[in-house]
């Protein structure tokens, strides 16, 4: 609603002779009142969209550290259990709100269907909204980077050689390029010729997303990792084994010697009839076929 008020002040003639103005005159309601009702309904819909995520939010607000850091990013494991899901939800929700706001600003200001000449104030407003959207997009790349700990690309579950040495740098590079594009959107409001730089950055963004974000990691996995998988993936396999043991509390096993008797006496056999009857006798023929 605040964005609506700003646009109405920057472009007061944006809704003249539109269905919105006609409905306002017919109903006797002010356009601002109609807008307030529409935005209230939109807010309710957006609220209902995330209402089912309250358990995750509750976990986030009451989280505590696990005291164990992941070997790739050095973050406490609680980040992936409590914080990362909330960041993912919040980022998607905010992106939807920003997109809806940009559409509203364009419609209310009359950009496009009333002409393409845009005042500096409105252009700055659109630039800030566009920059905010790109910042959220950059945050998405960092969320994807954090989700590499769930990768299934390598030899074992979790981040592998390709994820750490190819995919992660690509996400970081895309984050930087996206933030540069966001800054240029704001600069364009004052320097109209800066749109050329934005085009260059966007082209570079698409190229990096395709080449560095998809093709390059696939090539690394296919031609560098697969032929020498055991050597390159060894540290990540060790991480997987170590954390699996920790998850099942197998890292605190106390080993005690057990002096087993090498011979079984007839008396021992007779004293344990149930155990003896339960002894499996393996047929050597299927046994040889199975193990050979």
């Amino acid at each position: 609603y605040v964005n609506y008020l700003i646009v109405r002040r920057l472009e007061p003639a944006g809704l003249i002779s539109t269905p919105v103005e006609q409905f306002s005159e017919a109903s006797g309601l002010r356009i601002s009142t109609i807008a307030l009702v529409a935005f209230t309904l939109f807010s309710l819909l957006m609220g209902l969209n995330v209402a089912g995520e309250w358990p995750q939010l509750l976990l986030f607000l009451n989280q505590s550290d696990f005291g164990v850091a992941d070997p790739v990013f050095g973050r406490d494991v609680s980040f992936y259990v409590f914080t990362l899901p909330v960041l993912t939800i919040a980022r998607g929700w905010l992106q939807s709100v920003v997109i809806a706001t940009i559409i509203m600003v364009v419609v209310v200001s009359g950009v496009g269907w009333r002409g393409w000449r845009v005042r500096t104030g409105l252009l700055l407003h659109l630039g800030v909204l566009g920059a905010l959207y790109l910042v959220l997009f950059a945050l998405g790349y960092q969320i994807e980077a954090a989700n590499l700990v769930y990768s299934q690309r390598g030899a074992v579950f979790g981040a592998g050689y390709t994820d750490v040495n190819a995919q992660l740098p690509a996400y970081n590079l895309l984050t930087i390029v996206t933030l540069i594009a966001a800054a240029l959107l704001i600069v364009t409001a004052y320097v109209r010729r800066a749109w050329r730089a934005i085009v260059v950055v966007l082209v570079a963004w698409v190229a990096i997303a395709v080449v560095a974000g998809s093709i390059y990691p696939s090539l690394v996995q296919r031609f560098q990792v697969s032929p020498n998988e055991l050597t390159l993936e060894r540290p990540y396999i060790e991480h997987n084994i170590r954390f699996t043991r920790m998850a099942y509390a197998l890292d605190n096993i106390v080993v005690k010697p057990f002096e087993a008797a090498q011979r079984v006496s007839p008396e021992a056999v007779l004293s344990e009839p149930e155990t003896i009857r339960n002894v499996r006798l393996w047929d050597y023929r299927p046994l040889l076929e199975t193990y050979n």
Side-chain angles (χ1 to χ4, degrees):
Y1 186 71
V2 173
N3 283 276
Y4 166 79
L5 295 178
I6 294 174
V7 176
R8 289 289 288 169
R9 186 168 184 176
L10 294 173
E11 294 288 345
L15 291 176
I16 293 178
S17 300
T18 63
V20 176
E21 186 183 56
Q22 295 171 4
F23 178 78
S24 174
E25 293 175 351
S27 62
L29 298 174
R30 298 176 60 183
I31 293 180
S32 59
T33 303
I34 298 173
L36 182 60
V37 173
F39 296 145
T40 301
L41 292 175
F42 176 76
S43 300
L44 289 174
L45 290 175
M46 293 302 296
L48 291 173
N49 189 38
V50 294
E53 304 294 345
W54 67 266
Q56 189 62 55
L57 180 60
L58 193 62
L59 290 173
F60 170 75
L61 295 175
N62 295 276
Q63 65 176 291
S64 60
D65 292 342
F66 282 28
V68 178
D70 80 272
V72 177
F73 299 103
R75 299 188 182 104
D76 190 88
V77 175
S78 61
F79 172 82
Y80 302 97
V81 178
F82 304 120
T83 304
L84 187 58
V86 172
L87 285 177
T88 303
I89 296 169
R91 178 241 178 190
W93 187 86
L94 288 173
Q95 275 193 316
S96 300
V97 172
V98 172
I99 291 174
T101 303
I102 292 174
I103 294 173
M104 180 274 297
V105 169
V106 171
V107 171
V108 172
S109 63
V111 174
W113 56 280
R114 284 190 178 278
W116 293 101
R117 297 188 63 180
V118 183
R119 297 179 183 179
T120 301
L122 180 60
L123 189 61
L124 177 61
H125 189 72
L126 286 171
V128 170
L129 290 174
L132 179 58
Y133 178 81
L134 290 180
V135 168
L136 292 172
F137 214 97
L139 175 61
Y141 284 127
Q142 291 304 301
I143 290 175
E144 290 297 324
N147 276 315
L148 288 176
V149 298
Y150 299 112
S151 174
Q152 301 184 42
R153 191 205 311 260
V156 293
F157 186 85
Y161 181 89
T162 302
D163 298 311
V164 174
N165 295 279
Q167 195 69 64
L168 180 58
Y171 283 145
N172 291 334
L173 182 58
L174 285 168
T175 300
I176 295 172
V177 173
T178 306
L179 292 176
I180 292 174
L184 287 175
L185 278 179
I186 299 177
V187 173
T188 304
Y190 299 100
V191 183
R192 298 299 178 97
R193 294 181 180 179
W195 66 268
R196 298 176 181 176
I198 292 179
V199 173
V200 173
V201 171
L202 290 178
V203 171
W205 181 23
V206 173
I208 293 172
V210 174
V211 177
S214 179
I215 297 177
Y216 176 64
S218 299
L219 293 176
V220 170
Q221 181 68 29
R222 176 67 179 85
F223 296 103
Q224 185 176 355
V225 177
S226 295
N228 196 23
E229 191 169 43
L230 182 59
T231 301
L232 296 179
E233 296 283 12
R234 183 181 296 276
Y236 309 101
I237 295 174
E238 291 175 352
H239 295 329
N240 183 276
I241 294 173
R242 181 164 63 90
F243 275 79
T244 300
R245 288 175 174 172
M246 292 174 61
Y248 289 96
L250 299 178
D251 56 331
N252 295 320
I253 294 177
V254 178
V255 180
K256 296 182 179 180
F258 176 72
E259 300 296 336
Q262 299 297 323
R263 295 182 180 180
V264 179
S265 64
E267 292 78 9
V269 173
L270 294 175
S271 64
E272 297 290 342
E274 294 295 331
T275 302
I276 298 302
R277 281 198 296 268
N278 197 42
V279 173
R280 296 292 182 263
L281 298 178
W282 286 7
D283 189 332
Y284 70 92
R285 287 164 295 188
L287 192 63
L288 290 175
E289 292 177 1
T290 301
Y291 286 99
N292 290 334

